[in-house]
């Protein structure tokens, strides 16, 4: 398989990650396009024998960070639910919409780690390399992200303080 075909094979995964990361279909498509353009222009920097998937996700992360720095605005949902592989029932579709909304309320740092580890099935080491952070940071962001997501989905109060009981 040639280099271009290898990159093309990862487009669905890049698109899924971008969609979950930015929450809006058009913005996700733009992010994927920008990522592919940058990756193909910088393909000479990829070291053969290393994980191409992790390299592409690193490129996407860097493009996304540059875009955020450039506009400094909050990402809003466009009302669309995450794409599901099978036709969902109304209840499942509502749950998916609620999950997407809760996911978009997470800090970007936690959302990125959560999506890479859970959605893209990356190891902690791969996620750390993709994001350019230590493995311990991946683990703590993942833990905090999962807890906050759980409280958002279950409708529990987000309490960061310990209560003193007398």
């Amino acid at each position: 398989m040639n280099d271009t075909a290898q990159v093309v094979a990862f487009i669905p995964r890049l698109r899924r990650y971008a969609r979950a990361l930015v929450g809006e279909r058009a913005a996700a498509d733009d992010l994927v396009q920008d990522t592919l353009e940058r990756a193909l222009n910088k393909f000479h920097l990829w070291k053969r024998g290393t994980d191409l998937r992790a390299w592409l996700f690193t490129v996407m992360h860097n493009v996304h960070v540059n875009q955020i720095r450039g506009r400094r605005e909050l990402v809003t949902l466009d009302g669309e639910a995450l794409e599901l592989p099978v036709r969902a029932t109304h209840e499942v579709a509502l749950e998916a919409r609620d999950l997407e909304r809760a996911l978009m309320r997470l800090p970007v740092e936690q959302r990125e780690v959560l999506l890479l580890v859970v959605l893209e099935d990356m190891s902690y080491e791969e996620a750390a390399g993709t994001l350019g952070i230590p493995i311990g940071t991946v683990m703590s962001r993942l833990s905090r992200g999962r807890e906050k997501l759980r409280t958002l989905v279950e409708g529990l109060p987000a309490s960061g303080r310990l209560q003193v009981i007398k």
Side-chain angles (χ1 to χ4, degrees):
M1 183 182 304
N2 67 30
D3 295 337
T4 304
Q6 288 179 350
V7 171
V8 169
F10 285 108
I11 290 175
R13 295 181 89 169
L14 290 168
R15 191 164 186 266
R16 179 178 64 193
Y17 178 63
R19 174 74 171 102
L21 187 61
V22 299
E24 182 180 287
R25 186 179 309 261
D29 289 343
D30 289 345
L31 178 58
V32 171
Q33 183 175 345
D34 292 346
T35 298
L36 292 172
E37 181 180 359
R38 170 97 41 95
L40 293 174
N41 286 335
K42 303 288 184 179
F43 201 73
H44 64 279
L45 297 175
W46 175 62
K47 296 176 186 164
R48 294 207 181 279
T50 60
D51 187 359
L52 179 59
R53 174 185 70 149
W55 185 77
L56 288 170
F57 277 83
T58 300
V59 171
M60 179 174 278
H61 169 73
N62 292 336
V63 168
H64 179 64
V65 166
N66 290 340
Q67 289 174 349
I68 289 174
R69 285 183 185 149
R71 69 176 187 263
R72 292 282 186 207
E73 65 185 41
L74 293 176
V75 177
T76 60
L77 290 174
D78 61 0
E80 299 175 16
L82 290 172
E83 294 177 24
L84 298 174
V86 294
R87 188 168 186 89
T89 64
H90 183 67
E91 184 176 320
V92 171
L94 291 175
E95 288 174 0
R97 185 201 63 204
D98 291 346
L99 177 60
E100 181 184 24
R101 286 183 177 163
L103 192 59
M104 294 309 294
R105 290 180 59 197
L106 292 178
V108 172
E109 297 82 14
Q110 292 175 8
R111 187 170 62 238
E112 288 173 334
V113 170
L114 192 67
L115 293 171
L116 289 175
V117 173
V118 177
L119 184 66
E120 293 304 324
D121 200 29
M122 285 190 178
S123 68
Y124 292 170
E125 185 177 9
E126 291 171 324
T130 297
L131 299 173
I133 58 177
I135 291 176
T137 304
V138 167
M139 293 168 59
S140 65
R141 287 180 183 176
L142 182 63
S143 176
R144 283 182 273 140
R146 283 179 171 159
E147 179 61 24
K148 181 159 182 149
L149 186 62
R150 184 184 65 75
T151 60
L152 289 170
V153 169
E154 293 177 359
L156 300 174
S159 172
R161 295 183 180 175
L162 294 176
Q163 293 182 344
V164 177
I165 300 173
K166 295 182 180 182

